[in-house]
């Protein structure tokens, strides 16, 4: 593994991964001059016990297909290895240990998660020890989000960056609905992922 110092971790269910995720990751990597972005597909998300999600190995393979042609993107199976619930603070600690990183990392995910952050395990430590990047499409819940970010910064000295990415108009939910309704998903995600979805008859 390369000797990277400044890394981003892109956490998500990726059901399926799409161009919104890829554009966001590349933008953050470039803006913050990160060495590499590691995609970490969720295994068994603690907050989704009531929802049906695609098998974790299929989601992992789709992310692999989507990221393979970018030398600054990589994928980690940290959250796939055990059947226990995965909490971000534990995953980040394990990744830092495996990669030999002592500095903070940049955790990238959807901005909605900032609004729910109090429900995360050890969220205060997580926010103090790392930089949290919440991405949204322009106009998303602006007032509520800005209030929450400034409260977390003031009270916890949290390191939070909000980024607006127009490409996040693409969403996994919309892609799944389109497939269910027999509509096209072309140009919303890499062609290799599209073919993988059809081959494995996903989201029907
Ligand atoms: P989600 O509920 O599937 O997604 C919520 C929203 O965020 C959706 O609009 C989703 O869009 C978007 N989103 C998710 N990941 C994104 C990413 N990397 N970049 C941009 N947008 C993203 O959320 P999730 O995927 O389950 O959770 C996100 C991350 O937070 C995961 O790594 C999860 O493990 C972590 N998490 C941890 C805890 C905890 O430690 N207790 C609790 C909650 C979440 P798309 O559907 O289009 O992706």
């Amino acid at each position: 593994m390369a000797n990277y110092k400044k890394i981003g971790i892109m956490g998500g269910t990726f059901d399926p991964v799409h161009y919104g995720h890829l554009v966001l990751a590349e933008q953050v990597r470039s803006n913050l001059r990160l060495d590499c972005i590691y995609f970490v597909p969720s295994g068994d998300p603690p907050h989704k016990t009531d929802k049906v999600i695609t098998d974790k190995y299929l989601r992992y393979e789709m992310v692999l297909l989507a990221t393979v042609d970018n030398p600054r993107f990589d994928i980690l199976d940290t959250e796939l290895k055990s059947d226990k619930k995965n909490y971000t603070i534990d995953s980040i600690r394990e990744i830092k240990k495996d990669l030999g990183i002592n500095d903070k990392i940049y955790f990238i995910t959807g901005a909605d998660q900032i609004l729910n952050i109090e429900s995360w395990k050890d969220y205060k430590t997580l926010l103090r020890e790392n930089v949290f990047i919440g991405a949204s499409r322009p106009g998303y819940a602006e007032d509520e989000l800005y209030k929450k970010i400034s409260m977390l910064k003031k009270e916890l000295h949290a390191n939070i960056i909000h980024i607006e990415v127009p490409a996040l108009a693409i969403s996994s939910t919309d892609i799944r609905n389109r497939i269910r309704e027999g509509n096209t998903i072309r140009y919303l995600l890499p062609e290799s992922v599209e073919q993988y979805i059809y081959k494995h008859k996903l989201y029907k």
Side-chain angles (χ1 to χ4, degrees):
M1 191 139 330
N3 191 19
Y4 293 137
K5 292 274 176 256
K6 212 175 158 192
I7 67 156
I9 292 179
M10 179 83 171
T13 308
F14 303 122
D15 195 16
V17 63
H18 52 66
Y19 278 132
H21 300 128
L22 298 172
V23 168
L24 162 66
E26 180 65 4
Q27 197 169 313
V28 171
R29 188 197 63 73
S30 169
N31 291 357
L32 300 179
R33 306 284 184 265
L34 303 183
D35 295 319
C36 181
I37 304 279
Y38 290 95
F39 284 68
V40 180
S42 310
D44 185 8
H47 55 301
K48 282 197 179 165
T49 44
D50 56 338
K51 284 192 194 162
V52 178
I53 57 172
T54 305
D55 178 88
K56 58 188 177 184
Y57 295 105
L58 298 181
R59 289 183 288 108
Y60 179 90
E61 282 184 343
M62 287 192 274
V63 175
L64 186 62
L65 287 171
T67 52
V68 74
D69 64 352
N70 186 332
R72 293 284 174 181
F73 285 174
D74 210 334
I75 179 168
L76 295 173
D77 62 0
T78 315
E79 300 203 348
L80 271 60
K81 289 181 285 191
S82 92
D83 287 330
K84 284 192 300 185
K85 305 240 179 260
N86 297 118
Y87 296 100
T88 299
I89 189 142
D90 301 330
S91 302
I92 289 180
R93 283 185 178 147
E94 192 180 330
I95 291 167
K96 281 183 172 177
K97 195 167 154 230
D98 287 351
L99 299 178
I101 289 174
N102 296 317
D103 295 337
K104 61 191 173 193
I105 59 91
Y106 297 77
F107 182 78
I108 312 155
T109 195
D112 331 29
Q113 305 293 351
I114 296 173
L115 299 174
N116 299 322
I117 199 75
E118 281 94 347
S119 67
W120 289 33
K121 182 183 168 190
D122 294 344
Y123 74 99
K124 293 183 183 173
T125 312
L126 181 72
L127 290 176
R128 264 195 301 263
E129 289 182 357
N130 302 286
V131 181
F132 198 102
I133 298 163
S136 67
R137 64 192 63 97
Y140 165 82
E142 273 172 2
D143 287 350
E144 199 185 348
L145 187 63
Y146 294 155
K147 267 188 212 149
K148 186 70 178 261
I149 292 176
S150 68
M151 186 274 281
L152 292 167
K153 283 184 172 174
K154 200 168 142 205
E155 291 182 6
L156 302 178
H157 304 290
N159 227 330
I160 302 177
I161 299 170
H162 171 232
I163 177 172
E164 285 190 339
V165 180
L168 281 178
I170 302 173
S171 86
S172 301
T173 306
D174 177 53
I175 290 174
R176 293 194 302 272
N177 287 339
R178 281 168 182 258
I179 295 171
R180 212 165 286 128
E181 290 158 12
N183 292 325
T184 181
I185 55 166
R186 199 165 181 188
Y187 306 124
L188 299 176
L189 70 185
E191 200 186 336
S192 55
V193 179
E194 183 181 353
Q195 294 310 323
Y196 186 97
I197 289 171
Y198 294 143
K199 184 175 165 193
H200 292 270
K201 300 186 173 54
L202 303 181
Y203 314 121
K204 282 287 179 192

Coordinates of all heavy atoms in Angstrom, one line a residue, residues 68-138:
V68 N -12.0 1.8 -10.3 CA -10.8 1.1 -10.7 C -9.9 2.0 -11.6 O -8.7 1.8 -11.6 CB -11.1 -0.3 -11.3 CG1 -11.7 -0.2 -12.7 CG2 -9.9 -1.2 -11.3
D69 N -10.6 2.8 -12.4 CA -9.7 3.6 -13.4 C -9.2 4.9 -12.8 O -8.5 5.7 -13.5 CB -10.5 3.8 -14.7 CG -11.8 4.7 -14.4 OD1 -12.1 5.0 -13.2 OD2 -12.4 5.1 -15.4
N70 N -9.4 5.2 -11.5 CA -8.8 6.4 -10.9 C -7.7 6.0 -10.0 O -7.9 5.4 -8.9 CB -9.9 7.2 -10.2 CG -9.3 8.5 -9.7 OD1 -8.1 8.7 -9.4 ND2 -10.2 9.5 -9.5
P71 N -6.4 6.3 -10.3 CA -5.3 5.8 -9.5 C -5.3 6.5 -8.1 O -4.6 6.0 -7.2 CB -4.0 6.3 -10.2 CG -4.5 7.3 -11.3 CD -6.0 7.0 -11.5
R72 N -6.1 7.5 -7.9 CA -6.2 8.2 -6.6 C -7.4 7.7 -5.8 O -7.8 8.3 -4.8 CB -6.2 9.7 -6.7 CG -4.9 10.2 -7.2 CD -3.9 10.3 -6.2 NE -2.5 10.6 -6.7 CZ -1.5 10.7 -5.9 NH1 -1.5 10.4 -4.6 NH2 -0.3 11.0 -6.4
F73 N -8.1 6.8 -6.3 CA -9.3 6.1 -5.6 C -8.9 4.7 -5.3 O -8.2 4.0 -6.0 CB -10.5 6.1 -6.5 CG -11.3 7.4 -6.7 CD1 -12.3 7.4 -7.6 CD2 -10.9 8.5 -6.0 CE1 -13.0 8.6 -7.8 CE2 -11.6 9.7 -6.2 CZ -12.7 9.8 -7.1
D74 N -9.4 4.3 -4.1 CA -9.2 2.9 -3.7 C -10.4 2.4 -2.9 O -11.2 3.3 -2.6 CB -7.9 2.7 -2.9 CG -7.2 1.3 -3.1 OD1 -8.0 0.4 -3.4 OD2 -6.0 1.2 -2.9
I75 N -10.5 1.2 -2.6 CA -11.6 0.7 -1.9 C -11.2 -0.2 -0.8 O -10.2 -0.9 -0.9 CB -12.6 -0.1 -2.9 CG1 -13.8 -0.7 -2.2 CG2 -11.8 -1.2 -3.6 CD1 -14.9 -1.2 -3.1
L76 N -11.9 -0.1 0.4 CA -11.5 -0.9 1.5 C -12.7 -1.8 2.0 O -13.8 -1.3 1.9 CB -11.1 0.0 2.7 CG -9.8 0.8 2.5 CD1 -9.6 1.8 3.7 CD2 -8.6 -0.1 2.3
D77 N -12.4 -3.0 2.4 CA -13.5 -3.9 2.8 C -13.6 -4.0 4.3 O -14.2 -4.9 4.9 CB -13.2 -5.4 2.3 CG -11.9 -6.0 2.8 OD1 -11.2 -5.3 3.6 OD2 -11.7 -7.1 2.4
T78 N -13.2 -2.9 5.0 CA -13.2 -2.8 6.5 C -14.6 -3.2 7.0 O -14.6 -3.8 8.1 CB -12.9 -1.3 6.9 OG1 -11.8 -0.9 6.1 CG2 -12.6 -1.2 8.4
E79 N -15.7 -2.7 6.4 CA -17.0 -2.9 7.0 C -17.7 -4.2 6.5 O -18.8 -4.5 6.8 CB -17.9 -1.7 6.8 CG -17.3 -0.5 7.4 CD -18.3 0.6 7.7 OE1 -19.4 0.6 7.2 OE2 -17.9 1.6 8.4
L80 N -16.9 -5.0 5.7 CA -17.5 -6.2 5.1 C -17.1 -7.4 5.9 O -17.7 -8.5 5.8 CB -17.1 -6.4 3.6 CG -18.0 -5.7 2.6 CD1 -18.1 -4.2 2.8 CD2 -17.5 -6.1 1.2
K81 N -16.0 -7.3 6.6 CA -15.4 -8.5 7.1 C -16.1 -9.1 8.3 O -16.0 -10.3 8.5 CB -13.9 -8.1 7.6 CG -13.0 -7.9 6.4 CD -11.6 -7.5 6.8 CE -11.5 -6.1 7.3 NZ -10.1 -5.7 7.5
S82 N -16.9 -8.3 9.0 CA -17.6 -8.9 10.2 C -19.1 -8.7 10.0 O -19.5 -7.9 9.2 CB -17.1 -8.3 11.5 OG -18.0 -7.3 11.8
D83 N -19.9 -9.6 10.6 CA -21.3 -9.4 10.5 C -21.9 -8.6 11.7 O -23.1 -8.4 11.8 CB -22.0 -10.8 10.6 CG -21.8 -11.6 9.3 OD1 -21.7 -10.9 8.2 OD2 -21.7 -12.8 9.3
K84 N -20.9 -8.0 12.5 CA -21.4 -7.1 13.5 C -21.8 -5.8 12.9 O -21.5 -5.5 11.8 CB -20.2 -6.9 14.5 CG -20.0 -8.0 15.4 CD -19.0 -7.6 16.6 CE -17.7 -7.2 16.0 NZ -16.7 -6.9 17.0
K85 N -22.5 -5.0 13.7 CA -22.9 -3.7 13.2 C -21.6 -2.8 13.1 O -20.7 -3.0 13.9 CB -23.8 -3.0 14.2 CG -25.0 -3.8 14.5 CD -26.3 -3.1 14.2 CE -27.5 -3.8 14.4 NZ -28.1 -4.5 13.3
N86 N -21.6 -2.0 12.1 CA -20.4 -1.1 11.8 C -20.7 0.3 12.3 O -21.6 0.9 11.9 CB -20.0 -1.1 10.4 CG -19.6 -2.5 9.9 OD1 -20.3 -3.1 9.0 ND2 -18.6 -3.1 10.4
Y87 N -19.8 0.8 13.1 CA -19.8 2.2 13.5 C -18.6 2.9 12.9 O -17.5 2.4 12.9 CB -19.9 2.3 15.0 CG -21.1 1.7 15.6 CD1 -21.0 0.4 16.2 CD2 -22.3 2.4 15.6 CE1 -22.2 -0.2 16.7 CE2 -23.5 1.8 16.1 CZ -23.4 0.5 16.7 OH -24.5 0.0 17.2
T88 N -18.9 4.1 12.4 CA -17.8 4.9 11.7 C -16.6 5.1 12.6 O -15.5 5.0 12.1 CB -18.4 6.2 11.2 OG1 -19.5 5.9 10.3 CG2 -17.4 7.0 10.5
I89 N -16.8 5.4 13.8 CA -15.6 5.6 14.7 C -14.7 4.4 14.7 O -13.5 4.5 14.7 CB -16.0 6.1 16.1 CG1 -14.7 6.6 16.8 CG2 -16.7 5.1 16.9 CD1 -14.9 7.8 17.7
D90 N -15.3 3.2 14.8 CA -14.5 2.0 14.9 C -13.8 1.7 13.5 O -12.6 1.3 13.5 CB -15.4 0.8 15.2 CG -16.1 0.9 16.5 OD1 -15.5 1.6 17.4 OD2 -17.2 0.4 16.7
S91 N -14.6 2.0 12.4 CA -14.0 1.7 11.1 C -12.8 2.7 10.9 O -11.8 2.2 10.3 CB -15.0 2.0 10.0 OG -16.1 1.1 10.2
I92 N -12.9 3.9 11.2 CA -11.9 4.9 11.0 C -10.6 4.5 11.8 O -9.5 4.5 11.3 CB -12.3 6.3 11.4 CG1 -13.3 6.8 10.3 CG2 -11.1 7.3 11.5 CD1 -13.8 8.2 10.5
R93 N -10.8 4.1 13.1 CA -9.7 3.6 13.9 C -9.0 2.5 13.2 O -7.7 2.4 13.2 CB -10.1 3.3 15.3 CG -10.4 4.6 16.1 CD -10.7 4.3 17.5 NE -10.9 5.5 18.2 CZ -11.8 5.7 19.2 NH1 -12.5 4.7 19.6 NH2 -11.9 6.9 19.8
E94 N -9.7 1.5 12.8 CA -9.2 0.3 12.1 C -8.4 0.7 10.9 O -7.3 0.2 10.6 CB -10.3 -0.7 11.8 CG -9.8 -2.0 11.4 CD -10.9 -3.0 11.1 OE1 -12.0 -2.9 11.7 OE2 -10.6 -3.9 10.3
I95 N -9.0 1.6 10.1 CA -8.3 2.0 8.8 C -7.0 2.7 9.1 O -6.0 2.5 8.5 CB -9.3 2.9 8.0 CG1 -10.4 2.0 7.5 CG2 -8.5 3.5 6.8 CD1 -11.6 2.8 6.9
K96 N -7.1 3.6 10.1 CA -5.8 4.4 10.5 C -4.7 3.4 10.9 O -3.6 3.6 10.5 CB -6.1 5.4 11.6 CG -6.8 6.6 11.1 CD -7.0 7.5 12.4 CE -7.5 8.9 12.0 NZ -7.7 9.8 13.2
K97 N -5.1 2.4 11.7 CA -4.2 1.4 12.2 C -3.6 0.6 11.0 O -2.4 0.5 10.9 CB -4.9 0.5 13.2 CG -3.9 -0.3 14.0 CD -4.7 -1.0 15.2 CE -4.0 -2.3 15.6 NZ -4.9 -3.4 15.7
D98 N -4.4 0.2 10.1 CA -4.0 -0.6 9.0 C -3.1 0.2 8.1 O -2.1 -0.4 7.5 CB -5.2 -1.1 8.2 CG -5.9 -2.2 8.9 OD1 -5.4 -2.7 9.9 OD2 -7.0 -2.6 8.4
L99 N -3.4 1.5 7.9 CA -2.6 2.3 6.9 C -1.5 3.0 7.6 O -0.7 3.7 7.0 CB -3.5 3.3 6.3 CG -4.7 2.8 5.4 CD1 -5.5 3.9 4.8 CD2 -4.2 1.9 4.3
G100 N -1.4 2.9 8.9 CA -0.3 3.5 9.7 C -0.4 5.0 9.7 O 0.6 5.8 9.6
I101 N -1.7 5.5 9.8 CA -1.9 7.0 9.8 C -2.2 7.5 11.2 O -3.1 6.9 11.9 CB -3.1 7.3 8.8 CG1 -2.6 7.1 7.4 CG2 -3.6 8.7 9.0 CD1 -3.6 7.2 6.4
N102 N -1.5 8.5 11.6 CA -1.7 9.1 12.9 C -2.5 10.4 12.9 O -3.1 10.8 13.9 CB -0.3 9.4 13.6 CG 0.4 8.1 13.9 OD1 -0.1 7.1 14.3 ND2 1.7 8.1 13.5
D103 N -2.5 11.0 11.7 CA -3.2 12.3 11.6 C -4.7 12.1 11.4 O -5.1 11.0 11.2 CB -2.6 13.1 10.4 CG -1.2 13.4 10.6 OD1 -0.7 13.5 11.7 OD2 -0.5 13.6 9.6
K104 N -5.4 13.2 11.5 CA -6.8 13.2 11.2 C -7.1 12.7 9.8 O -6.2 12.9 8.9 CB -7.4 14.6 11.4 CG -6.8 15.6 10.4 CD -7.2 17.0 10.8 CE -6.4 17.9 9.9 NZ -6.4 19.3 10.3
I105 N -8.2 12.1 9.6 CA -8.6 11.8 8.2 C -9.8 12.7 7.8 O -10.5 13.3 8.7 CB -8.9 10.3 8.0 CG1 -10.0 9.8 8.9 CG2 -7.7 9.4 8.2 CD1 -11.4 10.0 8.3
Y106 N -10.2 12.7 6.6 CA -11.3 13.5 6.1 C -12.4 12.5 5.7 O -12.3 11.7 4.8 CB -10.8 14.2 4.8 CG -9.7 15.2 5.2 CD1 -8.4 14.8 5.4 CD2 -10.0 16.6 5.3 CE1 -7.4 15.7 5.7 CE2 -9.1 17.5 5.7 CZ -7.8 17.1 5.8 OH -6.8 18.0 6.2
F107 N -13.5 12.5 6.5 CA -14.6 11.6 6.3 C -15.7 12.2 5.5 O -16.2 13.3 5.9 CB -15.1 11.1 7.7 CG -16.2 10.1 7.5 CD1 -15.9 8.7 7.2 CD2 -17.6 10.4 7.6 CE1 -17.0 7.8 7.0 CE2 -18.6 9.5 7.5 CZ -18.3 8.2 7.1
I108 N -16.0 11.7 4.3 CA -16.9 12.3 3.4 C -18.2 11.5 3.4 O -18.2 10.3 3.1 CB -16.3 12.3 2.0 CG1 -14.9 12.9 2.0 CG2 -17.2 13.1 1.0 CD1 -14.1 12.4 0.8
T109 N -19.3 12.2 3.5 CA -20.6 11.5 3.4 C -21.7 12.6 3.1 O -21.4 13.8 2.9 CB -20.9 10.6 4.5 OG1 -22.0 9.7 4.2 CG2 -21.3 11.4 5.8
G110 N -22.9 12.1 3.0 CA -24.0 13.0 2.7 C -24.3 14.0 3.9 O -24.2 13.6 5.0
A111 N -24.7 15.2 3.6 CA -24.9 16.2 4.6 C -26.0 15.9 5.6 O -26.0 16.3 6.7 CB -25.1 17.6 3.9
D112 N -26.9 15.1 5.1 CA -28.1 14.7 6.0 C -27.5 14.1 7.3 O -28.1 14.2 8.3 CB -28.9 13.5 5.4 CG -29.0 13.5 3.9 OD1 -28.1 13.9 3.2 OD2 -30.1 13.0 3.4
Q113 N -26.4 13.4 7.2 CA -25.8 12.7 8.3 C -25.4 13.7 9.4 O -25.4 13.4 10.6 CB -24.6 11.9 7.9 CG -24.9 10.9 6.8 CD -25.8 9.8 7.3 OE1 -26.2 9.6 8.4 NE2 -26.3 9.0 6.3
I114 N -25.1 14.9 9.0 CA -24.7 16.0 10.1 C -25.9 16.3 10.9 O -25.8 16.5 12.1 CB -24.2 17.2 9.4 CG1 -22.9 16.9 8.6 CG2 -24.0 18.4 10.4 CD1 -22.4 18.0 7.8
L115 N -27.1 16.3 10.3 CA -28.3 16.6 11.1 C -28.7 15.5 12.1 O -29.3 15.7 13.1 CB -29.5 16.8 10.1 CG -29.4 17.9 9.1 CD1 -30.5 17.9 8.2 CD2 -29.3 19.3 9.9
N116 N -28.1 14.2 11.8 CA -28.4 13.1 12.7 C -27.2 12.7 13.5 O -27.2 11.6 14.1 CB -28.8 11.9 11.9 CG -30.0 12.1 11.1 OD1 -31.0 12.7 11.5 ND2 -30.0 11.6 9.9
I117 N -26.2 13.5 13.6 CA -24.9 13.0 14.1 C -25.0 12.6 15.5 O -24.2 11.7 16.0 CB -23.8 14.1 13.8 CG1 -22.4 13.5 13.9 CG2 -24.0 15.3 14.7 CD1 -22.0 12.7 12.7
E118 N -25.9 13.2 16.3 CA -25.9 12.8 17.7 C -26.3 11.3 17.9 O -26.0 10.8 19.0 CB -27.0 13.7 18.5 CG -26.5 15.0 18.9 CD -26.9 16.1 17.9 OE1 -27.3 15.7 16.7 OE2 -26.8 17.3 18.1
S119 N -26.8 10.7 16.9 CA -27.2 9.3 17.1 C -26.0 8.4 16.8 O -26.1 7.2 16.9 CB -28.4 8.9 16.1 OG -27.9 9.0 14.8
W120 N -24.9 8.9 16.3 CA -23.7 8.1 16.0 C -22.9 7.8 17.2 O -22.8 8.6 18.2 CB -22.8 8.9 15.0 CG -23.3 9.0 13.6 CD1 -24.6 9.2 13.3 CD2 -22.5 9.1 12.4 NE1 -24.7 9.3 11.9 CE2 -23.5 9.2 11.4 CE3 -21.2 9.0 12.2 CZ2 -23.0 9.3 10.0 CZ3 -20.8 9.1 10.8 CH2 -21.7 9.2 9.8
K121 N -22.3 6.6 17.2 CA -21.5 6.2 18.3 C -20.3 7.2 18.5 O -19.6 7.5 17.5 CB -21.0 4.8 18.1 CG -20.1 4.2 19.2 CD -19.6 2.8 18.8 CE -18.6 2.4 19.8 NZ -17.8 1.2 19.4
D122 N -20.1 7.6 19.7 CA -18.9 8.5 20.1 C -18.8 9.7 19.1 O -17.7 10.0 18.7 CB -17.6 7.7 20.1 CG -17.6 6.6 21.2 OD1 -18.5 6.7 22.1 OD2 -16.8 5.7 21.2
Y123 N -19.9 10.3 18.8 CA -19.8 11.3 17.7 C -18.9 12.5 18.1 O -18.3 13.1 17.3 CB -21.2 11.8 17.3 CG -21.9 12.7 18.3 CD1 -21.9 14.1 18.2 CD2 -22.5 12.1 19.4 CE1 -22.5 14.9 19.1 CE2 -23.2 13.0 20.4 CZ -23.2 14.3 20.2 OH -23.8 15.2 21.1
K124 N -18.8 12.8 19.4 CA -18.0 14.0 19.8 C -16.6 13.7 19.5 O -15.9 14.6 19.0 CB -18.2 14.3 21.3 CG -19.6 14.7 21.6 CD -19.8 15.1 23.1 CE -21.2 15.5 23.4 NZ -21.5 15.7 24.8
T125 N -16.1 12.5 19.9 CA -14.7 12.2 19.6 C -14.5 12.1 18.1 O -13.5 12.6 17.6 CB -14.4 10.8 20.2 OG1 -14.9 10.7 21.5 CG2 -12.9 10.4 20.2
L126 N -15.4 11.5 17.4 CA -15.3 11.4 15.9 C -15.1 12.8 15.3 O -14.2 13.0 14.5 CB -16.6 10.7 15.4 CG -16.6 10.5 13.9 CD1 -15.7 9.3 13.5 CD2 -18.1 10.1 13.5
L127 N -15.9 13.7 15.7 CA -15.8 15.1 15.1 C -14.6 15.9 15.6 O -14.1 16.7 14.9 CB -17.1 15.9 15.5 CG -18.4 15.4 14.9 CD1 -19.6 16.2 15.4 CD2 -18.3 15.5 13.4
R128 N -14.1 15.6 16.8 CA -12.9 16.3 17.2 C -11.7 15.7 16.6 O -10.7 16.5 16.3 CB -12.8 16.2 18.8 CG -13.4 17.4 19.5 CD -13.0 17.4 20.9 NE -13.4 16.2 21.6 CZ -14.5 16.2 22.4 NH1 -15.2 17.2 22.5 NH2 -14.7 15.1 23.0
E129 N -11.6 14.4 16.4 CA -10.4 13.8 15.9 C -10.2 13.8 14.4 O -9.2 13.5 13.9 CB -10.3 12.3 16.4 CG -10.1 12.2 17.9 CD -10.0 10.7 18.4 OE1 -10.2 9.8 17.5 OE2 -9.8 10.5 19.6
N130 N -11.3 14.1 13.7 CA -11.2 14.0 12.2 C -11.9 15.2 11.6 O -12.6 16.0 12.3 CB -11.9 12.8 11.8 CG -11.3 11.5 12.4 OD1 -10.2 11.1 12.0 ND2 -11.9 10.9 13.4
V131 N -11.8 15.3 10.3 CA -12.6 16.4 9.6 C -13.7 15.7 8.9 O -13.6 14.7 8.3 CB -11.7 17.1 8.5 CG1 -12.5 18.2 7.8 CG2 -10.4 17.6 9.1
F132 N -14.9 16.2 9.1 CA -16.2 15.7 8.6 C -16.6 16.5 7.4 O -16.8 17.7 7.6 CB -17.2 15.7 9.7 CG -18.4 14.7 9.5 CD1 -18.4 13.5 10.2 CD2 -19.4 15.1 8.6 CE1 -19.5 12.7 10.0 CE2 -20.5 14.2 8.4 CZ -20.5 13.0 9.1
I133 N -16.8 15.9 6.3 CA -17.2 16.6 5.1 C -18.6 16.1 4.7 O -18.8 15.0 4.3 CB -16.2 16.4 3.9 CG1 -14.9 17.0 4.3 CG2 -16.7 17.1 2.7 CD1 -13.7 16.5 3.5
G134 N -19.6 17.0 4.8 CA -21.0 16.7 4.5 C -21.3 17.3 3.2 O -21.2 18.5 3.0
A135 N -21.7 16.5 2.2 CA -22.0 16.9 0.9 C -23.5 17.0 0.6 O -24.2 16.1 1.0 CB -21.3 16.0 -0.1
S136 N -23.9 18.0 -0.1 CA -25.3 18.1 -0.5 C -25.4 18.7 -1.9 O -24.5 19.3 -2.3 CB -26.1 18.9 0.5 OG -25.7 20.3 0.4
R137 N -26.6 18.5 -2.4 CA -26.9 19.3 -3.7 C -27.2 20.7 -3.2 O -27.7 20.9 -2.1 CB -28.0 18.6 -4.4 CG -29.4 18.6 -3.7 CD -30.3 17.7 -4.5 NE -29.8 16.3 -4.4 CZ -30.2 15.4 -3.5 NH1 -31.1 15.7 -2.6 NH2 -29.7 14.2 -3.6
P138 N -27.0 21.7 -4.1 CA -27.3 23.1 -3.8 C -28.7 23.3 -3.3 O -29.6 22.7 -3.9 CB -27.0 23.8 -5.1 CG -26.1 23.0 -5.8 CD -26.4 21.6 -5.5

